[in-house]
């Protein structure tokens, strides 16, 4: 196996690690909520802390990765993210729970920007679209993480034991995969740590923003909705994210081939139109019952394609621009938490 192919496999594994870590948390949100006796308001504050930590970390992730490189960035991000899982599980009260979620958000953002920066480098080496395939592995990891979460819920395994064991295993796997990344410095590494986005990148950021609003809302609130509104069992509520991941995997697996056939512009126009339609459905009917598939389509298609095209839009340093649409996750979390509280 040549270096480029080996790096593609390694980056795919890191995406899966990130997805599994986040799904481990997402699938057992009701268990964490019950452990501390939190209502919708307290949980909403915690989820806002998770998103806020993610957004704040983005301000420093690009400059940091430009300095140390995407490989070391992945190692640092995986360490913080996986350490955040037991911190959340062992939090004895709501303030420390919120603080632990901030740490989890910081680790998620640092790993997210780092792995996407290296994914752009691998895609450039391949010379054809493969970015959506990496994001499919994020959902494959999410599928595994949520499936294990549902199993742990069925077996009534405490989240302290569950999160600690999963965090340790994912950290070891992530660090091992990072050791197989492409050698040498990243494009733009060591240069200026900040650059203003070009005119071509601004509309891509807007489109990705819309996609992440849809994706982030379902990520954070699907298990709670199924448990509290649909009155599903805790195990079934954990499977909500599992079902979400299956659809995302299917779309992201074929997205690169569709982009090659019809072009990125048409592909993102259709995906963006679906995103807007789904958002209108949500605000009209308070929950996207039939809009869930649309959330999966838009959340799957837009971000991966936008990041791929953004990396090719004349950006000398992908890490400085990776993840700039992530504040939309904060918007999606705030919107739904406000609705649940009121």
């Amino acid at each position: 196996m040549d270096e480029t192919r080996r790096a593609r496999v390694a980056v795919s594994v890191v995406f899966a690690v990130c997805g599994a870590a986040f799904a481990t948390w997402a699938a057992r949100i009701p268990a964490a909520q019950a452990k501390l006796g939190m209502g919708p308001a307290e949980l909403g504050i915690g989820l806002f802390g998770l998103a806020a930590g993610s957004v704040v970390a983005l301000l420093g992730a690009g400059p940091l990765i430009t300095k140390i490189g995407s490989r070391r960035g992945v190692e640092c991000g995986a360490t913080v993210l996986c350490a955040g899982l037991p911190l959340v599980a062992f939090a004895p009260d709501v303030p420390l729970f919120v603080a632990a979620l901030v740490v989890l958000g910081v680790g998620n953002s640092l790993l997210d920007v780092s792995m996407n920066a290296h994914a752009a480098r691998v895609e450039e080496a391949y010379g054809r679209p493969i970015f959506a395939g990496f994001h499919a592995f994020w959902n494959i990891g999410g599928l595994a993480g949520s499936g294990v979460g549902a199993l742990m819920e069925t077996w009534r395994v405490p989240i302290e034991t569950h999160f600690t064991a999963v965090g340790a295993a994912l950290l070891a796997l992530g660090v091992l995969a990072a050791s197989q990344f492409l050698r040498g410095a990243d494009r733009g590494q060591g240069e200026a740590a900040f650059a203003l986005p070009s005119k071509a990148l601004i509309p891509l950021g807007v489109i990705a923003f819309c996609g992440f609003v849809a994706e982030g809302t379902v990520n954070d609130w699907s298990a709670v909705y199924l448990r509290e509104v649909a009155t599903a069992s805790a195990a079934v509520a954990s499977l909500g994210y599992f079902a979400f991941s299956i659809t995302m995997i299917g779309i992201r697996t074929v997205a690169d081939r569709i982009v090659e056939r019809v072009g990125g512009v048409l592909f993102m126009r259709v995906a963006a139109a679906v995103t807007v339609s789904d958002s209108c459905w949500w605000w009209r009917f308070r929950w996207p019952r039939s809009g869930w598939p649309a959330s999966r389509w838009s959340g799957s298609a837009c971000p991966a394609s936008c990041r791929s095209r953004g990396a090719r839009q004349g950006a000398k340093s992908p890490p400085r621009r990776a993840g700039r649409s992530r504040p939309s996750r904060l918007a999606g979390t705030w919107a739904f938490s406000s609705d649940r509280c009121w």
Side-chain angles (χ1 to χ4, degrees):
M1 184 183 296
D2 61 27
E3 183 184 18
T4 303
R5 189 178 298 274
R6 185 168 60 249
R8 182 180 182 181
V9 173
V11 173
S12 298
V13 171
V14 170
F15 268 82
V17 165
C18 186
F22 187 84
T24 297
W25 148 250
R28 300 208 66 185
I29 290 176
Q33 183 182 14
K35 174 177 176 286
L36 296 179
M38 293 181 290
E42 292 86 356
L43 180 60
I45 293 172
L47 294 177
F48 190 87
L50 173 66
S54 297
V55 172
V56 171
L58 290 176
L59 299 176
L64 176 64
I65 296 167
T66 301
K67 182 178 181 180
I68 68 175
S70 57
R71 179 178 176 179
R72 290 182 62 190
V74 163
E75 294 171 346
C76 293
T79 300
V80 177
L81 176 62
C82 294
L85 285 173
L87 289 179
V88 171
F90 284 98
D93 52 40
V94 174
L96 289 178
F97 174 76
V98 174
L101 284 178
V102 171
V103 173
L104 194 70
V106 169
N108 185 65
S109 274
L110 181 55
L111 181 57
D112 180 275
V113 175
S114 302
M115 67 187 187
N116 275 283
H118 204 83
R121 183 178 169 188
V122 174
E123 183 182 60
E124 183 179 31
Y126 263 78
R128 60 183 176 86
I130 59 172
F131 222 95
F134 290 131
H135 283 247
F137 274 91
W138 191 93
N139 292 108
I140 290 173
L143 194 69
S146 57
V148 170
L151 190 62
M152 295 298 101
E153 186 65 51
T154 301
W155 290 348
R156 301 187 182 279
V157 176
I159 59 173
E160 294 87 347
T161 303
H162 175 200
F163 284 15
T164 301
V166 169
L170 292 179
L171 176 59
L173 184 59
V175 171
L176 177 63
S179 68
Q180 302 301 312
F181 278 11
L182 294 173
R183 303 297 176 181
D186 295 332
R187 180 159 52 97
Q189 186 175 340
E191 297 181 1
F194 179 79
L196 292 173
S198 66
K199 292 181 179 180
L201 288 175
I202 293 175
L204 292 174
V206 172
I207 295 171
F209 183 97
C210 296
F212 278 125
V213 166
E215 179 184 359
T217 302
V218 178
N219 284 347
D220 286 340
W221 287 100
S222 58
V224 176
Y225 171 81
L226 290 171
R227 185 76 175 107
E228 295 189 357
V229 180
T231 64
S233 67
V236 172
S238 298
L239 289 175
Y241 192 86
F242 185 90
F244 181 78
S245 296
I246 289 177
T247 309
M248 296 272 276
I249 290 168
I251 293 169
R252 285 176 168 170
T253 300
V254 301
D256 288 322
R257 296 179 183 178
I258 297 174
V259 170
E260 275 193 297
R261 183 176 296 273
V262 306
V265 174
L266 177 59
F267 181 81
M268 283 195 287
R269 281 175 178 171
V270 174
V274 174
T275 302
V276 173
S277 300
D278 181 54
S279 297
C280 293
W281 180 278
W282 188 89
W283 286 110
R284 174 61 181 86
F285 296 101
R286 315 307 297 165
W287 181 257
R289 296 169 189 259
S290 65
W292 254 23
S295 294
R296 296 162 190 168
W297 155 259
S298 58
S300 303
C302 289
S305 297
C306 287
R307 281 176 164 172
S308 176
R309 290 186 66 83
R312 300 196 299 268
Q313 286 289 345
K316 291 184 178 180
S317 180
R320 292 180 298 192
R321 291 166 171 83
R324 286 190 177 172
S325 59
R326 278 296 183 181
S328 57
R329 182 171 177 77
L330 188 65
T333 298
W334 173 83
F336 199 83
S337 61
S338 298
D339 176 73
R340 293 292 297 125
C341 292
W342 291 101

